Amino acid sequence: MQHIKPIAPERLADFLRAMPKAELHIHIEGSLEPELIFALAGRNGVALPYADVEALRAAYAFSNLQSFLDIYYAGASVLLKEQDFYDMARTYLRRAAADNVVHAEIFFDPQTHTARGVAMDTVINGLHRACVDAQTESGISAALILCFLRHLSEEDAFATLEQALPHRDKFIGVGLDSSELGHPPEKFSRVFARCRELGFHRVAHAGEEGPPSYIWSALDVLQVERIDHGVQCVQDALLMQRLARERIPLTVCPLSNQKLRVFPNLADHNLGRLLDAGLVATVNSDDPAYFGGYINTNFVQTFAATGLTLQHAYALARNSFEASFCGPDRKSGFRDQLDQLLEAYQ
Ligand code: ADE
Ligand code: ZN
């Protein structure tokens, strides 16, 4: 690897903000800011159990993953029309472009919406149109990944896949999210096998709160190409070696981990340890409206808290391109952009 000279903390923060990056772990429903939740509730005549934006924001104090998910699913209840899904995704993509995100792979949770009577067409058409328009507006590329909710049954996941298949050209892959503990990857072995046959990319949340064995089974049973979170892999030396050897990316979300108390403090985060062990770790925002910041805030705060260096910043941006499902030409264009910026800081 090329030698990169360290720079002063303020310049490093500038570099982190300016560097081109891909965001690979963002739940679009987790980008709904309280202001937009209230605007959509007003537009759609949905009653909310909070008096105003401040009262809703004040409820964002979480003790673990489940305490967050309860409020996150409630927030999504204001999404009813295609335009609502469009506005949500368009707002996120403008915000991401402002953070110099050049490519985003966006999770969506269709079961959260279809269970309330919203049609799959409404969800996918709104999100997809936003991705197309964002690329025209700012050049950012965006692709959708359909996530199955792991607290529901595999049968429900199969029914969701069937409903989505008429739109198969509008999403590139499938993922697995929601309550991790007690819902191991094996529960979804058949539906992921079917998705593999259909040619979809596959990712899964594993090792956020759950044990290393969930990461092993996401790899061996679901045959995923990336692990979302994965920070619990440090408990298992053999697993760390495998992730490094096979260059299986981890989409790490530091502020999420802090807010959901996966680590007591941001300073205790293991991102540096993952990078120094040669893992293809990336930085992402997960649910930025709930966890206190978009991708650049994740970068800047994590670097300030843990003392990571310019060398780590460069590795994280390179990893984000490598880990993405972009074609080789686009990846090499992103790497050239990054190298040009690095030269200006050396
Ligand atoms: N859905 C939205 N954010 C999530 C997270 N961090 N883990 C699992 N499911 C989620
Ligand atoms: Zn997530």
Side-chain angles (χ1 to χ4, degrees):
M1 200 206 271
Q2 74 190 102
H3 180 68
I4 297 175
K5 292 192 288 268
I7 55 176
E10 317 79 66
R11 285 200 84 221
L12 178 55
D14 283 346
F15 180 84
L16 290 167
R17 284 186 281 261
M19 72 184 186
K21 50 186 77 74
E23 174 143 71
L24 307 175
H25 187 158
I26 159 79
H27 300 263
I28 199 63
E29 294 88 353
S31 74
L32 261 185
E33 293 285 348
E35 289 78 4
L36 189 52
I37 291 181
F38 270 85
L40 294 177
R43 194 155 106 180
N44 290 331
V46 175
L48 292 170
Y50 299 94
D52 52 28
V53 164
E54 287 68 40
L56 177 55
R57 202 167 254 127
Y60 294 178
F62 312 115
S63 50
N64 56 23
L65 175 58
Q66 193 59 49
S67 66
F68 154 70
L69 290 171
D70 294 341
I71 204 160
Y72 158 87
Y73 293 129
S77 69
V78 298
L79 296 159
L80 293 179
K81 313 236 169 65
E82 185 179 316
Q83 191 64 35
D84 305 338
F85 291 91
Y86 177 90
D87 290 345
M88 170 172 65
R90 203 66 208 286
T91 304
Y92 161 70
L93 284 164
R94 285 208 176 100
R95 187 66 190 71
D99 277 1
N100 293 307
V101 171
V102 289
H103 175 75
E105 293 176 8
I106 299 177
F107 296 147
F108 67 110
D109 286 344
Q111 287 153 297
T112 304
H113 313 300
T114 53
R116 298 179 289 113
V118 178
M120 183 67 84
D121 299 2
T122 303
V123 178
I124 297 188
N125 288 337
L127 297 177
H128 180 255
R129 192 158 53 83
C131 294
V132 172
D133 288 355
Q135 176 135 28
T136 308
E137 182 183 84
S138 66
I140 188 172
S141 48
L144 297 171
I145 295 180
L146 182 159
C147 284
F148 301 118
L149 297 182
R150 69 201 304 157
H151 66 273
L152 300 178
S153 67
E154 185 176 52
E155 199 186 353
D156 207 311
F158 264 116
T160 301
L161 178 63
E162 277 311 310
Q163 287 168 28
L165 280 181
H167 299 280
R168 60 186 298 169
D169 55 325
K170 301 192 189 96
F171 61 103
I172 61 164
V174 296
L176 187 65
D177 65 1
S178 192
S179 321
E180 186 180 11
L181 288 168
H183 302 285
E186 293 88 319
K187 188 176 158 186
F188 296 91
S189 59
R190 283 159 298 192
V191 75
F192 268 68
R194 178 73 187 125
C195 291
R196 185 155 28 97
E197 281 170 10
L198 288 166
F200 286 113
H201 287 294
R202 295 158 317 279
V203 300
H205 284 54
E208 178 183 14
E209 289 183 338
S213 64
Y214 282 25
I215 302 177
W216 284 105
S217 50
L219 295 172
D220 292 332
V221 181
L222 304 186
Q223 300 197 23
V224 299
E225 297 154 87
R226 292 197 299 246
I227 297 287
D228 296 313
H229 294 294
V231 290
Q232 303 300 341
C233 70
V234 295
Q235 297 176 41
D236 182 333
L238 269 183
L239 178 58
M240 292 271 281
Q241 284 167 26
R242 176 176 180 188
L243 293 169
R245 189 177 60 245
E246 297 183 15
R247 297 198 70 70
I248 294 158
L250 303 186
T251 62
V252 177
C253 307
L255 285 179
S256 165
N257 293 156
Q258 179 199 15
K259 292 294 188 305
L260 302 187
R261 307 205 191 159
V262 172
F263 297 94
N265 300 293
L266 205 48
D268 304 313
H269 201 285
N270 64 15
L271 178 63
R273 182 166 166 201
L274 299 173
L275 289 170
D276 293 344
L279 270 67
V280 186
T282 64
V283 165
N284 307 270
S285 67
D286 205 7
D287 300 284
Y290 293 89
F291 298 147
Y294 288 77
I295 194 166
N296 280 359
T297 306
N298 271 271
F299 272 109
V300 171
Q301 290 194 7
T302 306
F303 273 61
T306 60
L308 294 181
T309 64
L310 181 61
Q311 181 100 38
H312 292 114
Y314 180 75
L316 285 163
R318 297 253 320 184
N319 288 350
S320 77
F321 305 140
E322 176 180 345
S324 79
F325 296 130
C326 283
D329 290 353
R330 203 155 165 76
K331 286 185 183 186
S332 108
F334 294 152
R335 283 195 300 265
D336 291 348
Q337 259 179 274
L338 177 66
D339 286 345
Q340 272 179 25
L341 183 76
L342 181 66
E343 253 180 53
Y345 278 78
Q346 285 287 278

